[in-house]
Amino acid sequence: LGDPLLYVQRVAPELDVVPDFCKTVSDRQFRAVPQIIRGTLTLELLNRGVALLNQVVADKYQLLALEPRDLHALNTTEQALDLRKRWELQRRGDEEGEIDCFSDQDLGVYRELSAEAWKDILQVLKHMNHVIAIKSTRQFTLYSNDRRACDVQLWAASAGERIRLKLREVAYRDRDRDRPQVPGSVAAGFRGALGGGGNPSARTVTFH
């Protein structure tokens, strides 16, 4: 899906930066975690995992903030649509409802880290209370960060509304033109979602 910040810059540049679901861990915080819990995990790898976690949570709520018809209008890939269905089912089953969360299944969305690395990262983040388990099923465990409430969802909802407005503008222009002349493209995952300079093949939501 890509960098959510670029996504917003293209469609809603006046929005604030994407809120972090989980804050970067400092050296002092990391050294306070017992060695038996840290294992061979390094601070660099931990914060790399935190960055990917922030990315997947932002991407999750970006997809959920848009209706299927909007995503089809953006030529969203089947992979992203299938992922949205999975996230929608998780959300329907989430009794907490309004808090930002992710599941252990979601950690495989970006395969830059191994399953073993994610296991170590999650263990440390849970020890530090940066994430907490809120629900477990046979299929997945949902985690949240109670310090962040629904910040990412609010951001995604605002960005989604601006995208819908942009889509309407494009639809109006389409009535008088053979193809829309929309500026730019949307970030790595949503790259080309509203743009491509009129190139239909460029307006695709995809994974990178």
Side-chain angles (χ1 to χ4, degrees), residues 1-2 7 56 58-68 70-89 106 109-111 187-191 193 203-208:
L1 286 174
Y7 179 49
V56 76
D59 286 345
K60 170 183 179 177
Y61 289 112
Q62 280 186 318
L63 279 174
L64 290 174
L66 293 171
E67 296 297 327
D70 298 324
L71 292 170
H72 283 293
L74 297 172
N75 294 331
T76 310
T77 63
E78 287 300 319
Q79 183 186 9
L81 290 173
D82 289 344
L83 193 55
R84 185 190 187 279
K85 290 177 184 177
R86 188 176 83 187
W87 281 332
E88 182 66 27
L89 290 173
D106 301 338
V109 170
Y110 298 109
R111 300 176 182 177
F190 281 91
R191 187 153 296 156
R203 297 196 308 274
T204 303
V205 180
T206 185
F207 286 86
H208 290 260

Side-chain angles (χ1 to χ4, degrees), residues 167-184:
L167 283 172
R168 289 181 199 140
E169 293 174 10
V170 171
Y172 291 144
R173 287 201 292 268
D174 279 350
R175 294 177 183 178
D176 302 317
R177 303 178 187 180
D178 292 334
R179 58 177 63 178
Q181 300 296 319
V182 236

Side-chain angles (χ1 to χ4, degrees), residues 1-4 18-22 48-62 87 109-110 112 152 155 188-189 207-208:
L1 286 174
D3 183 356
V18 185
D20 286 335
F21 172 78
C22 188
R48 184 178 170 197
V50 167
L52 288 172
L53 187 57
N54 288 334
Q55 185 174 336
V56 76
V57 172
D59 286 345
K60 170 183 179 177
Y61 289 112
Q62 280 186 318
W87 281 332
V109 170
Y110 298 109
E112 298 179 33
V152 180
W155 164 80
F207 286 86
H208 290 260

